Amino acid sequence: MLRSINQRRILSNRYTFIGGTQGAWRVVRMSSFRGAGLRAVERIDIVTGDAPVPRADAWSLHGFTSNVRYGTRAEVTTLAARQPLLNRPEAGCAALIPIKKSAAWWGLPQDERRAIFEETSRHTAIGLEYLPAIARRLHHCRDIGEPFDFLTWFEFAPQHAAAFDELVARLRATPEWDFVEREVDIRLERVE
Amino acid sequence: MLRSINQRRILSNRYTFIGGTQGAWRVVRMSSFRGAGLRAVERIDIVTGDAPVPRADAWSLHGFTSNVRYGTRAEVTTLAARQPLLNRPEAGCAALIPIKKSAAWWGLPQDERRAIFEETSRHTAIGLEYLPAIARRLHHCRDIGEPFDFLTWFEFAPQHAAAFDELVARLRATPEWDFVEREVDIRLERVE
C-alpha cells in the first residue's frame, strides 16, 4: 500500500511542447496576438507522458487533457461525430495556440462562464463549422503552475489554412476573448 | 524569456497531505467507505506549495484548489456568505475524505454531471445546511496522476461531529455517489 501510493501513475494525459531545434514540426510563423510572446524557435517537439528533463536550448510548455468542461450532451455528440483524429497523412500544417485568461474569467461561476463560452460567443458552434477539416486537441495547464491556461493544438491540410485563419479570427472577435489576456500563435509544418 | 518560461511558478494552489508520524493532526479513525483503504498512520501533515520530497515512512496525496466547476452565481454567492474559514480556534476536529469517481462519471458531458450533482443530488444545497459549522477546502487531483480525484478537507468543533456524520451519510445516499468507486474517510483531532 505504501509503495502503490507513493509510486505515481504514468501521466498518460500529459503532453509537453518543447520549442527548440528538434522535433517533427518546423515553425513557419510565431506571433503574439495579445501579451508577451515566446522566444522564437525552429522546431516544436511533442512529448507524451511525464514531463521530460528541461533542455537548455529550449522552452517547454506542459498541459493535460481532461474531461469536458462546458459541452452539453448534444454538443459532445455532434463534435464526436464530426471531429477528425490527429496525425492524418494529409494534415501537413499545424498550429499551437497557448492562451491565458484573466482572473475575472476564473472568478466567474460555472453558469456565467458557460453562457459567455457558448450562448454568447458560440465557441463550439463556430468550431463545428470547420469540421472535419481541422483536428484539435485541448490541453489544460492553469492548475499546474504554467504560464498559460490552455494549449490548443490544431492540424489541417494546406488547402484549409485560410479556413483556419478565418476560424481563429472569428473566435477572437467574440465576447469570450475579452477575457483572454495573453495569446501566442505558432504556425507549423510537418517535416518530411 | 527562456528563463521565465522554464522557471515554474510557485504552486500556491498545491497542497500535500502526508500520512505518517508528523503533523498537527492526529488520526482518530480511518475507514474505507468504498474500495481500497490507505495504510494506517498516526498523524497527517499538510504542506502548502510545491510537492515535498517523499518520506519513506509515509504516504502522500497531492491536490490543487481550482475554479468553480458546477456552482451557479446564486450558489456561489450563498456559499461565500455562509462558509467559515479554516483554522478556527474552536475547530479541533477534522476529516480528510479522498474520493475517486468512475470513468462513467468523467465520460458524462458537463450538463449531465451538473444535473446529477445538484438538480438530482442537491450536493450544494445539502452542504449549505451545515454551514457555518463546517469549514471545507476542496482539492482536485484527477488530472495530475493521483490515485484519487478529489481530496476534501473539513474542520469543525467537537460539538458538530454528529452533524458532520449526518452530512456525510446524506451525501453518500445521493445518486451522485453511485459514481464514487473509492472513498476513504479519515477523522482527525488537532494536537494541542
Side-chain angles (χ1 to χ4, degrees), chain A residues 66 68 73 112-113 143 146, chain B residues 8 66 68 112-113 143:
Chain A
S66 188
V68 166
R73 168 67 65 186
E112 296 186 6
R113 273 183 283 105
D143 291 321
E146 285 283 306
Chain B
R8 312 301 287 276
S66 188
V68 167
E112 296 187 5
R113 272 183 284 105
D143 292 320

Side-chain angles (χ1 to χ4, degrees), chain B residues 15-33:
Chain B
Y15 295 85
T16 301
F17 295 86
I18 305 174
T21 57
Q22 300 170 44
W25 294 94
R26 180 188 298 121
V27 175
V28 293
R29 194 168 82 243
M30 279 184 70
S31 56
S32 162
F33 171 69

Side-chain angles (χ1 to χ4, degrees), chain A residues 1-2 5-6 8-9 11 13-14 36-39 55-56 58-62 64-73 76 100 106 108-113 142-148 182, chain B residues 1-2 5-6 8-9 11 13-14 36-39 55-56 58-62 64-73 76 100 106 108-113 142-148 182:
Chain A
M1 184 63 75
L2 177 66
I5 196 168
N6 278 333
R8 312 300 288 275
R9 296 179 190 174
L11 294 174
N13 66 335
R14 181 68 67 102
L38 286 169
R39 187 170 62 87
R55 296 204 303 255
W59 46 253
S60 44
L61 296 170
H62 307 276
F64 53 84
T65 56
S66 188
N67 58 289
V68 166
R69 302 294 171 92
Y70 298 109
T72 62
R73 168 67 65 186
V76 166
K100 179 177 170 59
W106 294 111
L108 292 175
Q110 180 69 26
D111 58 340
E112 296 186 6
R113 273 183 283 105
R142 175 171 181 262
D143 291 321
I144 55 171
E146 285 283 306
F148 295 95
R182 186 179 179 194
Chain B
M1 184 65 73
L2 178 65
I5 196 169
N6 278 334
R8 312 301 287 276
R9 296 180 190 174
L11 294 174
N13 66 335
R14 182 68 67 101
L38 286 169
R39 185 170 63 88
R55 294 205 305 254
W59 46 253
S60 44
L61 297 171
H62 307 275
F64 54 82
T65 56
S66 188
N67 58 290
V68 167
R69 301 294 171 94
Y70 298 109
T72 63
R73 168 67 64 185
V76 166
K100 180 177 169 60
W106 294 112
L108 292 175
Q110 180 69 24
D111 58 340
E112 296 187 5
R113 272 183 284 105
R142 176 171 180 262
D143 292 320
I144 56 171
E146 286 282 305
F148 295 95
R182 187 180 179 194

Side-chain angles (χ1 to χ4, degrees), chain B residues 4 7 11 28 41 45 49 62 73 88 125 129 136 144 147 157 173 179 182:
Chain B
S4 71
Q7 196 175 43
L11 294 174
V28 293
V41 291
D45 198 9
H62 307 275
R73 168 67 64 185
R88 291 167 296 171
E129 294 180 37
R136 167 186 170 277
I144 56 171
F179 295 91
R182 187 180 179 194

Side-chain angles (χ1 to χ4, degrees), chain A residues 25 85-93 155-159 190 192:
Chain A
W25 294 93
L85 295 174
L86 294 178
N87 294 314
R88 291 167 296 171
E90 69 273 23
C93 297
E155 292 179 7
F156 45 91
Q159 67 266 31
R190 196 193 301 272
E192 301 301 329

Side-chain angles (χ1 to χ4, degrees), chain B residues 79-93:
Chain B
L79 276 170
R82 287 198 219 167
Q83 64 196 355
L85 296 173
L86 294 178
N87 294 313
R88 291 167 296 171
E90 69 273 23
C93 297

